[in-house]
Amino acid sequence: LFRSGYERGRRFTPSFEYYSDWGSQSAFAPMRGQVHQIVPGGDFHLAKNFTWNVGIGIGLTAAGDRLFYKSRIEFSFPTKGRD
């Protein structure tokens, strides 16, 4: 997994993610058996500690899904001494 985001404002952060499955550590799978996917998306900051992440994934190889949707809801618990 690789994820990069650019904080443009307080409410939305665009992001780009890359997911892959190359096979086992002892021997990589042939290219037709590997999964490589890119996911452009972003984080919607709905409240101080509440974020909704969404993205549309695109499969780059036949072994994985060609098109998919991903979503994640995140709640950050406040800790002492931090905002």
Side-chain angles (χ1 to χ4, degrees), residues 20-43:
S20 65
D21 179 3
W22 296 41
S24 68
Q25 290 180 336
S26 60
F28 289 144
M31 190 58 151
R32 69 181 179 280
Q34 295 180 12
V35 177
H36 299 275
Q37 300 167 323
I38 57 172
V39 184
D43 295 342

Side-chain angles (χ1 to χ4, degrees), residues 20-82:
S20 65
D21 179 3
W22 296 41
S24 68
Q25 290 180 336
S26 60
F28 289 144
M31 190 58 151
R32 69 181 179 280
Q34 295 180 12
V35 177
H36 299 275
Q37 300 167 323
I38 57 172
V39 184
D43 295 342
F44 292 95
H45 306 286
L46 304 176
K48 183 177 179 180
N49 296 329
F50 188 68
T51 302
W52 178 38
N53 170 270
V54 295
I56 301 292
I58 302 159
L60 303 177
T61 59
D65 295 327
R66 288 309 219 176
L67 192 64
F68 63 93
Y69 169 79
K70 71 165 247 74
S71 178
R72 179 184 77 234
I73 294 177
E74 177 181 323
F75 180 79
S76 302
F77 293 97
T79 59
K80 245 183 194 180
R82 295 185 70 190

